[in-house]
Amino acid sequence: MDSKFFWIIRQHLRKIWVRVISFALLAVLTLALTPVLSPLIPSHLGASLGSVSVDQILTILASSMLAVTTFSLSIAVSAFAAAAANATPRATAILQQDPTTQNVLSTFLGAFLFSLIGLIGLRTDFYDQQGQVFLFMATLVVVSLVVIALLRWIGHISNFGRMHDILSRVERAATISFRHQLENPYLRARPLSGSVPDDAYPIAPTRTGYVQHIDIKALNECARNQQIDIYIDALPGTFVHAAARLVRIRGANVSAKQQQFLRDAFTIETKRSFDQDPRFALIVLSEIASRALSPAVNDPGTAISVIGHLVRVLSTWKEPQEPPVDFPSVHVPAVLPSDMIIDAFRPIARDGAAFIEVQVRLQKALASLGSIAPEIFGRPVAELSAYAIDRAADAGMCREELKSLETLRVPSRAGNNAGQNDDTWETL
């Protein structure tokens, strides 16, 4: 589990300015090392090459790279805006962290800075003839990197920001978050069995927002030092405020400074994150389906595609036999399967109540999950299956369609006969 410090570092490394600065510093370092490494270049090469060719190449590179960077940035911003308008604004965070886009923009901007600084050095006679040869060779390397970046960018923008691309990215983020949840179901702390003892007293946060990350290691160290037990109330993704509970403490009383240390173990921001919050990715996928089912869009096909993505993500969930416990002084509640099913499918059942094709695919998806993991999803999918049929009835679905849905209803023991009655609607 990452500490808060390393988690914050990892979040910053995903931002585009980190790559831009890295490429720019690499360009500056290359130009700064040119006078040092130029003695390695044979002197006759400098006499035959001259500075005119290097100057012209750098001039072309500087003028073109600024235009290419601006144009590429406008394409990326347009893709972000299209994703927010067509899918959901919560999906733009994943697009903004796209490594290909960041690397391409960083390469273009780094090449621009390289050529600009190189021109300054040439015009001020900073390089001798051998240094100009080394600068020429470095320029050829930069041009090669720019050509490779352009080819990658041309192939990348053909799908970047499209609906299929957004769904695939959100599914990938959800799958990674779920794998992390499966490997560390209780954040490697002690599972909370039963209720929290009555003598445990709460500690409230001083900020309002969503819990993005919990430094379990810091909490465990504090608990061992103070000989207390810590019971977490706010898992990642929980909205907290001054009247909410972050943790509850059982044992010795802790000072105000120690309470603030416990609060600092929680990263609270204004929006949710995908890292320790698998439910958030499900909500984002469900939002995309809800927008597709709105009267303004009226795209049930996208909603059906989202259901498939949700099934692929949730089907990876298996109950661990013996979850690892590395932080025994911290007690963490479980993430309930019923919450996952509700987050994923209830908005689709509500907004797609009048679409028979969506309701049929939803019933099949619930039956599939009930068959894959009946002990985990059996009861939640049965309850949501009944809810979806009730919603369809309230939406005015005709009798024949309701009868077809009833044949697909997930029974209470979903593993027994889930997946039956598929022949009639297999093409939907």
Side-chain angles (χ1 to χ4, degrees), residues 300-317:
T302 296
I304 292 174
S305 179
V306 169
I307 293 174
H309 287 279
L310 289 169
V311 172
R312 278 193 293 272
V313 173
L314 289 171
S315 61
T316 61
W317 192 358

Side-chain angles (χ1 to χ4, degrees), residues 16-62:
I16 187 172
W17 62 265
V18 175
R19 282 183 169 85
V20 171
I21 292 178
S22 300
F23 275 82
L25 290 177
L26 184 60
V28 173
L29 180 63
T30 302
L31 294 170
L33 291 176
T34 298
V36 180
L37 300 177
S38 59
L40 302 177
I41 304 298
S43 58
H44 67 277
L45 290 180
S48 61
L49 179 64
S51 63
V52 178
S53 57
V54 182
D55 187 284
Q56 292 176 346
I57 295 175
L58 290 177
T59 301
I60 295 173
L61 195 62

Side-chain angles (χ1 to χ4, degrees), residues 46 238 279:
T238 304
R279 294 178 59 184

Side-chain angles (χ1 to χ4, degrees), residues 6 8 60 69 139 147 244 252 264 302 309 322 386 393-395 398 417:
F6 288 107
I8 292 175
I60 295 173
T69 302
T139 303
V147 172
D264 291 339
T302 296
H309 287 279
E322 294 183 2
D394 294 339
C398 70
N417 50 5

Side-chain angles (χ1 to χ4, degrees), residues 29-268:
L29 180 63
T30 302
L31 294 170
L33 291 176
T34 298
V36 180
L37 300 177
S38 59
L40 302 177
I41 304 298
S43 58
H44 67 277
L45 290 180
S48 61
L49 179 64
S51 63
V52 178
S53 57
V54 182
D55 187 284
Q56 292 176 346
I57 295 175
L58 290 177
T59 301
I60 295 173
L61 195 62
S63 59
S64 59
M65 282 301 99
L66 183 60
V68 170
T69 302
T70 304
F71 178 71
S72 301
L73 185 59
S74 66
I75 292 176
V77 172
S78 300
F80 301 155
N86 299 329
T88 173
R90 261 65 60 188
T92 57
I94 297 179
L95 293 179
Q96 291 170 352
Q97 296 175 2
D98 175 53
T100 300
T101 303
Q102 293 185 356
N103 289 336
V104 166
L105 293 176
S106 302
T107 302
F108 293 160
L109 188 56
F112 169 74
L113 294 176
F114 174 87
S115 57
L116 188 63
I117 298 174
L119 285 173
I120 294 174
L122 285 175
R123 303 293 168 82
T124 57
D125 295 328
F126 182 73
Y127 306 110
D128 56 14
Q129 287 186 341
Q130 291 171 300
Q132 293 169 10
V133 175
F134 186 86
L135 180 61
F136 176 77
M137 298 171 63
T139 303
L140 293 181
V141 174
V142 172
V143 171
S144 301
L145 293 176
V146 169
V147 172
I148 294 173
L150 280 172
L151 294 176
R152 292 184 62 191
W153 186 234
I154 291 172
H156 188 66
I157 60 177
S158 60
N159 292 320
F160 185 60
R162 305 297 190 269
M163 182 61 70
H164 175 73
D165 180 57
I166 295 172
L167 290 175
S168 298
R169 292 176 185 272
V170 178
E171 181 189 344
R172 194 179 305 116
T175 303
I176 294 173
S177 183
F178 257 86
R179 287 176 180 172
H180 176 82
Q181 175 69 28
L182 296 176
E183 294 171 358
N184 307 282
Y186 301 96
L187 304 179
R188 285 165 46 187
R190 187 181 297 276
L192 176 60
S193 57
S195 58
V196 178
D198 295 334
D199 58 345
Y201 59 95
I203 294 180
T206 56
R207 297 186 60 186
T208 299
Y210 292 97
V211 176
Q212 286 192 350
H213 178 266
I214 303 176
D215 192 344
I216 297 291
K217 183 178 181 180
L219 291 177
N220 188 73
E221 290 178 356
C222 180
R224 285 183 10 185
N225 294 335
Q226 303 300 321
Q227 295 183 350
I228 58 177
D229 285 322
I230 298 177
Y231 299 86
I232 292 181
D233 284 299
L235 290 174
T238 304
F239 184 79
V240 295
H241 46 81
R245 295 189 302 244
L246 282 179
V247 297
R248 277 180 278 183
I249 305 300
R250 184 171 184 262
N253 292 328
V254 295
S255 63
K257 182 179 180 180
Q258 292 163 345
Q259 290 186 19
Q260 186 59 42
F261 178 83
L262 295 177
R263 294 188 184 98
D264 291 339
F266 290 78
T267 302
I268 301 175

